[in-house]
């Protein structure tokens, strides 16, 4: 019995020792670097220029859903393994692709810097590598995207908007950069915007009854009707003699709908194109319709961009990151 206890004690000591070493290693990692939505692909040139590179681009440079023209999920920089050292190793998002004696695909966290995600794809030959990319790409992209959302949200904290319109109207808060300002606040509607060189980036919020939608064949039609009614009521277009102008959902493009979760609540994510009725203006939008069952309502948060002749991916990504900071404030007396 004493011998067993002695062996157990030794094993426990070793586990703690190595656990401490791992913790200390993590503690001393440098801060990761890189612009939002940038991806470093570590791959040899012959693979990058061939079918393996094509497969990587198919997944990781796929067009972002809901933009007015094609823009890739990530801006990709490819480098061979021989130069993947120094500051390059501190890149926040890395995809490591290699011919190897192993046939594997997995994700590593905080290997060289913090925070950092490294997707590792290996195979004996091109066929195995391509199969592993197809198998693991969705999971790796989701890990990269979550990390980029977290990074964007962390950067918001440097300077936040302190206005109380969202709290006053809906008892909610969002982490919104201070460059955004409340442009309109009326009963059950708040519009917050940020001027950019060639347009605006916008956040709007409103609430609708809890039973407003059914998840059946009428869902898309009812979402479009809701958005268009809000646009007609609150978001007018430029004055055009004899014509009514207001924001609506672009009739020629049906929006894309996905299940989502915001602040622990079930939600619907809607991505599509808005335009101005009877006037040549358009741009992308992202809407979250959130089941706020505690307050017996559907809370609607939307971000949209007007930026003609300008790339819009990063603006829309920032809006997504903002909307995902939602917090329902606790009222006095509630637990």
């Amino acid at each position: 019995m004493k011998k067993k206890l002695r062996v157990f004690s030794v094993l426990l000591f070793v586990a703690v020792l190595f656990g401490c070493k791992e913790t200390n290693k993590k503690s001393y990692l440098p801060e990761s670097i890189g612009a939002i939505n940038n991806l470093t692909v570590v791959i040899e040139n012959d693979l990058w220029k061939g079918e393996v590179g094509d497969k990587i681009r198919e997944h990781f440079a796929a067009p972002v859903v809901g933009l007015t023209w094609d823009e890739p999920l990530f801006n990709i920089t490819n480098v061979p393994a021989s130069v993947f050292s120094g500051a390059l190793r501190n890149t926040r998002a890395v995809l490591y692709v290699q011919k190897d004696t192993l046939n594997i695909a997995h994700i590593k966290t905080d290997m060289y810097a913090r925070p950092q995600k490294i997707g590792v794809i290996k195979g004996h030959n091109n066929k195995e590598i391509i199969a592993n990319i197809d198998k693991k790409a969705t999971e790796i992209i989701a890990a990269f995207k979550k990390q980029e959302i977290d990074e964007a949200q962390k950067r918001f904290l440097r300077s936040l908007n302190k206005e109380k319109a969202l709290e006053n109207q809906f008892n909610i808060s969002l982490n919104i950069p201070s460059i955004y300002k409340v442009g309109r606040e009326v009963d059950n509607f708040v519009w917050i915007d940020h001027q950019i060189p060639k347009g605006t980036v916008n956040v709007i919020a409103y609430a609708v009854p809890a039973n407003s939608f059914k998840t059946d064949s009428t869902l898309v039609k009812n979402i479009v009707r809701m958005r268009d009614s809000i646009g007609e009521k609150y978001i007018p277009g430029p004055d055009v003699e004899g014509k009514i102008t207001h924001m609506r959902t672009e009739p020629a493009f049906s929006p894309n709908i996905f299940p989502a979760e915001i602040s622990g609540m079930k939600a619907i994510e809607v991505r599509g194109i808005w335009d101005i009725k009877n006037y040549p203006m358009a741009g992308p939008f992202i809407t979250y319709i959130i089941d706020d069952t505690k307050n017996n309502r559907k809370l609607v948060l939307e971000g949209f961009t007007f930026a003609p002749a300008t790339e819009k991916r990063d603006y829309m990504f920032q809006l997504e990151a903002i909307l995902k900071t939602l917090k329902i404030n606790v009222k006095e007396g509630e637990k």
Side-chain angles (χ1 to χ4, degrees):
M1 183 66 180
K2 289 182 179 179
K3 184 177 181 181
K4 288 183 179 179
L5 286 172
R6 201 176 302 118
V7 171
F8 176 77
S9 299
V10 170
L11 290 174
L12 181 61
F13 174 76
V14 170
V16 170
L17 178 63
F18 278 93
C20 289
K21 284 184 177 180
E22 185 65 23
T23 301
N24 289 336
K25 179 185 175 184
K26 299 280 187 185
S27 299
Y28 289 105
L29 288 174
E31 186 173 348
S32 57
I33 60 174
I36 299 291
N37 293 324
N38 276 21
L39 171 63
T40 298
V41 177
V42 182
I43 186 172
E44 299 309 315
N45 287 332
D46 60 331
L47 291 178
W48 179 249
K49 293 177 180 178
E51 58 183 352
V52 172
D54 290 342
K55 181 58 66 173
I56 292 169
R57 289 183 285 274
E58 176 187 323
H59 287 285
F60 294 87
V64 176
V65 172
L67 298 184
T68 48
W69 66 60
D70 286 353
E71 296 182 52
L73 284 172
F74 301 102
N75 295 334
I76 295 176
T77 301
N78 64 290
V79 297
S82 59
V83 301
F84 183 59
S85 60
L88 270 178
R89 284 195 171 189
N90 298 341
T91 305
R92 195 168 50 256
V94 178
L95 183 66
Y96 193 95
V97 181
Q98 185 183 47
K99 278 187 182 177
D100 197 270
T101 55
L102 297 174
N103 179 22
I104 58 171
H106 57 237
I107 301 170
K108 293 192 173 184
T109 300
D110 299 347
M111 280 194 67
Y112 306 111
R114 300 177 64 192
Q116 184 183 59
K117 293 291 182 184
I118 300 180
V120 179
I121 304 286
K122 295 183 179 182
H124 298 95
N125 50 50
N126 287 5
K127 183 178 179 181
E128 287 186 354
I129 293 173
I130 288 170
N132 284 332
I133 293 170
D134 280 334
K135 178 182 178 181
K136 206 71 173 178
T138 299
E139 183 182 342
I140 294 173
I141 288 169
F144 286 161
K145 182 173 178 180
K146 183 182 184 306
Q147 180 174 254
E148 296 304 278
I149 289 283
D150 291 345
E151 177 66 20
Q153 291 172 342
K154 184 174 73 174
R155 295 181 186 187
F156 298 160
L157 298 176
R158 297 170 184 170
S159 180
L160 291 175
N161 178 292
K162 303 296 185 183
E163 296 172 296
K164 299 293 185 181
L166 293 172
E167 182 179 343
N168 294 339
Q169 290 293 326
F170 310 108
N171 198 40
I172 65 172
S173 63
L174 294 173
N175 288 346
I176 303 178
S178 58
I179 52 177
Y180 288 76
K181 304 297 179 184
V182 174
R184 186 174 188 185
E185 179 187 358
V186 296
D187 185 43
N188 195 39
F189 182 80
V190 173
W191 184 352
I192 304 169
D193 68 333
H194 158 43
Q195 299 293 317
I196 57 176
K198 294 185 178 181
T200 59
V201 183
N202 308 264
V203 173
I204 61 173
Y206 54 96
V208 297
N211 61 353
S212 294
F213 305 105
K214 294 180 179 179
T215 53
D216 57 19
S217 59
T218 66
L219 180 61
V220 174
K221 181 179 179 180
N222 288 334
I223 289 173
V224 169
R225 183 184 294 120
M226 175 194 72
R227 291 194 70 261
D228 292 356
S229 67
I230 291 295
E232 184 174 8
K233 188 173 183 179
Y234 296 116
I235 310 177
D239 290 333
V240 177
E241 188 174 347
K243 294 183 178 180
I244 297 173
T245 66
H246 62 81
M247 177 183 277
R248 64 179 181 177
T249 309
E250 164 60 72
F253 300 97
S254 180
N256 297 277
I257 294 178
F258 311 93
E261 183 178 294
I262 304 293
S263 192
M265 295 175 285
K266 289 183 178 180
I268 298 170
E269 178 181 294
V270 188
R271 291 179 181 265
I273 306 298
W274 62 267
D275 75 350
I276 297 295
K277 184 176 181 178
N278 295 318
Y279 196 81
M281 287 176 64
F285 72 84
I286 178 171
T287 304
Y288 289 105
I289 303 169
I290 302 155
D291 285 330
D292 183 8
T293 54
K294 188 173 182 179
N295 292 294
N296 192 33
R297 65 184 178 181
K298 280 187 166 58
L299 181 65
V300 184
L301 302 177
E302 180 170 312
F304 65 93
T305 297
F306 174 60
T310 302
E311 293 182 339
K312 303 168 184 64
R313 180 199 66 187
D314 289 346
Y315 291 131
M316 295 305 298
F317 190 84
Q318 183 183 83
L319 289 169
E320 178 183 353
I322 288 171
L323 300 183
K324 286 182 174 178
T325 65
L326 170 68
K327 288 185 179 64
I328 307 291
N329 297 330
V330 177
K331 296 178 181 177
E332 189 174 350
E334 291 183 344
K335 291 184 180 180

